[in-house]
């Protein structure tokens, strides 16, 4: 199996030759409506002290979860997207089954 960019992101929180610079990975979840309301979830990976120092940057979020080492935020975001997509597929299958059993999908979806 090839190494992914996610795995490479977890290798170093300090760029080579730049000892005074740190970074984290901090993807967000919640969608457009949550973004408009400043209620996104930040899934942060990296050194805990660096995540804490970046706290003032999260003005668009109401929740920041430190998930572990650098790369863990990205991994969690991918897993979150997988669950969301799987749930969409399951819902579509359930509504299709409802229709085949003479139940209105529109009514069943309520």
């Amino acid at each position: 199996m090839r190494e992914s960019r996610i795995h490479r992101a977890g290798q170093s929180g300090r760029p080579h030759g730049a000892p005074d610079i740190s970074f984290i990975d901090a993807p967000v979840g919640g969608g457009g409506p949550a973004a408009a309301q400043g209620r996104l979830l930040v899934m942060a990976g990296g050194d805990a002290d660096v995540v804490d120092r970046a706290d003032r940057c999260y003005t668009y979020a109401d929740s920041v979860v430190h998930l572990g080492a650098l790369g863990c935020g990205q991994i969690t975001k991918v897993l979150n997207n997988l669950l969301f997509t799987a749930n969409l597929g399951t819902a579509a299958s359930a509504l299709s089954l409802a229709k085949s059993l003479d139940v209105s999908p529109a009514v069943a979806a309520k």
Side-chain angles (χ1 to χ4, degrees):
M1 179 178 216
R2 287 186 52 184
E3 180 181 60
S4 71
R5 289 184 178 162
I6 291 173
H7 288 103
R8 281 185 280 173
Q11 291 177 354
S12 173
R14 298 204 184 278
H16 181 70
D20 295 336
I21 298 173
S22 299
F23 67 95
I24 59 174
D25 65 290
V28 299
Q37 297 172 3
R39 295 186 21 207
L40 291 173
L41 165 67
V42 176
M43 296 165 264
D47 292 338
D49 63 320
V50 179
V51 172
D52 289 344
R53 284 196 324 250
D55 189 54
R56 65 182 175 271
C57 298
Y58 308 127
T59 58
Y60 51 85
D62 67 350
S63 183
V64 178
V65 180
H66 180 236
L67 294 156
L70 192 61
C72 289
Q74 292 179 54
I75 291 168
T76 302
K77 175 65 176 178
V78 169
L79 295 173
N80 185 59
N81 288 352
L82 174 65
L83 287 171
F84 178 75
T85 303
N87 285 333
L88 286 177
T90 301
S93 294
L95 293 174
S96 178
L97 180 59
K99 184 176 181 178
S100 73
L101 297 171
D102 297 323
V103 175
S104 166
V107 174
K110 290 183 182 183

